Amino acid sequence: MNKFSKTVATSVLGFAILFSSFAPATGFAADVEPSNWTREDVSKIVQNKDNTAPEINTEDLEQIAPDYHIWDTWPLRNKDGSIATLNGYKVIFSLTAPSDVLPGKRHDIAEIRYFVSKNGKDWKLGGTVFNEEQLGSRQWAGSAMIEDGEINFFYTATGRKGEEQLTYEQRLVKASADVDASSKGIEFNNWSDHEVILEPDGEYYQTMEQSKQGDIAYAFRDPWFFEDPKSGEEYILFEGNSGGTPAERSVEQEHIGSEDFATVDDVPEESKLFNGNIGIAKAENDEYTEFEIMPPLMEANSLNQELERPHIVTKGNKYYLFTDTHKNKFAPGTDGPDGLYGFVSDSLTSNYEPLNDSGLVVANPENEPYQTYSWMVMPNGTVISFANFYDLNGVTIDELGQQSEQFQFNHFGGTLAPSLKLSIHKDETKILKEMDAGVFK
Ligand code: FRU
């Protein structure tokens, strides 16, 4: 343990002792020791063939549902994380919006639809997942798991149903339904009530009110179900921001890295506005409606604003924690590509170290920096994602809104991207090959 991690461990221990005086009887909340993704880690990013995806052939992109833009996607899983097969069908869920809506506006009207496939390659639209009972003015990413013939569905309710002015409040919701699988396909029937299972506590996870006091973006979303194979305990991981208002925060040594690196990193003051984290909460009942919120697994304070769609793959004795982020979400003085990033630990709740030294696992090629996004690693190392913006001729994502509408439509994929096969070995990963779009074999 180096000097710096010792300081962190000591302060975390101090905090754990303090916290245990009001922690519930399980005492679990005190067990998380948040890991830091530091500015020093990110300074080690070098794009090379092992972490850079090949340029996708956009002419080969197939619209799996031509009437809709398709983006964040996740498969139906069994409780242990393996991919579910029902009557020979695999199922995926995607955020969708009508394809005549400007790509940048799709988030404001997102709905979750599902697709089924026998060969795991040709996907057929099944329809919307919910009828009318979903919460939020739109629904953002989540996860789904089947147990005893019942689907347990977790998603982000963004805003409130019927709101006149779009708001960015985000709550994590659970609903369940019967799964009817026949030769005709898959149907979800008898939906339960949709219950809010997690909201930010303001201490570990920022509330929207705190964020409004000067922060740059807000997140409390993307619930992802995980059963820990070591303990059998069940958890939800999610994307959050570290708690508190900007006025209450400052850049700390633990955000920067080693003392040596701090002598060369001139950290701009506004870096403290960047407070992305990866949250975790433990299931307290068999219906997955009660959760105990815990300190975050990972924080990127003073480094990055959005650690999106966090998820875990286990291999051997190790936990591999993955997340997606954008180039424009890195703090001033730091830089990283739109990419899939990852960390490894022998423990679920502490000591995560960046994979490949920096954390970078999959980046878009430098001449197509936005070609894909929202990567998700399957248990066998296959990585799925969606086709995002391509062929922009140097236009950045931040400048895209000023281009003509036609330009924005013409350069958006909005469908499943070619999958990638990743090798994962100890603390290193390598992209082995590109595969067909949407496959996760
Ligand atoms: C990533 C993401 C998710 C969110 C969704 C909203 O692509 O930002 O974090 O759930 O898109 O459209």
Side-chain angles (χ1 to χ4, degrees), residues 25-66:
T26 60
F28 256 91
D31 288 341
V32 178
E33 293 179 17
S35 303
N36 287 291
W37 189 25
T38 67
R39 296 171 66 95
E40 182 172 14
D41 297 332
V42 163
S43 75
K44 296 178 189 154
I45 290 177
V46 180
Q47 277 198 236
N48 57 37
K49 66 170 183 20
D50 293 334
N51 63 25
T52 304
E55 216 174 288
I56 60 173
N57 188 344
T58 49
E59 296 194 343
D60 288 352
L61 285 177
E62 206 181 301
Q63 300 296 328
I64 62 165

Side-chain angles (χ1 to χ4, degrees), residues 225-351:
F225 177 86
F226 175 63
E227 180 187 51
D228 181 357
K230 286 193 198 171
S231 67
E233 303 282 2
E234 294 129 354
Y235 298 91
I236 288 288
L237 265 60
F238 55 90
E239 170 187 357
N241 290 123
S242 299
T245 64
E248 290 161 349
R249 299 198 302 266
S250 53
V251 176
E252 305 290 336
Q253 174 72 41
E254 66 187 48
H255 307 162
I256 300 172
S258 66
E259 280 174 17
D260 272 359
F261 185 74
T263 61
V264 295
D265 186 14
D266 170 26
V267 188
E269 172 67 14
E270 64 273 28
S271 297
K272 75 170 189 186
L273 297 180
F274 292 71
N275 63 336
N277 74 17
I278 295 178
I280 184 165
K282 186 173 155 288
E284 299 279 78
N285 66 353
D286 294 341
E287 291 75 44
Y288 312 108
T289 52
E290 283 169 30
F291 283 84
E292 181 193 354
I293 205 155
M294 300 163 78
L297 290 183
M298 169 74 53
E299 292 185 295
N301 294 332
S302 309
L303 171 66
N304 187 288
Q305 182 63 16
E306 285 187 349
L307 302 184
E308 309 214 90
R309 302 197 68 207
H311 55 283
I312 288 178
V313 170
T314 53
K315 195 177 172 209
N317 207 30
K318 298 196 183 302
Y319 298 86
Y320 290 88
L321 172 62
F322 293 100
T323 186
D324 304 319
T325 196
H326 295 285
K327 182 178 175 70
N328 66 359
K329 294 298 185 289
F330 281 97
T334 68
D335 191 19
D338 271 40
L340 169 75
Y341 291 82
F343 309 87
V344 58
S345 176
D346 290 336
S347 147
L348 169 64
T349 50
S350 62
N351 292 319

Side-chain angles (χ1 to χ4, degrees), residues 94-115:
S94 299
L95 299 190
T96 67
S99 51
D100 57 359
V101 166
L102 209 56
K105 292 267 176 244
R106 70 189 194 277
H107 309 281
D108 299 350
I109 52 166
E111 280 185 301
I112 303 172
R113 289 187 158 76
Y114 71 102
F115 297 82

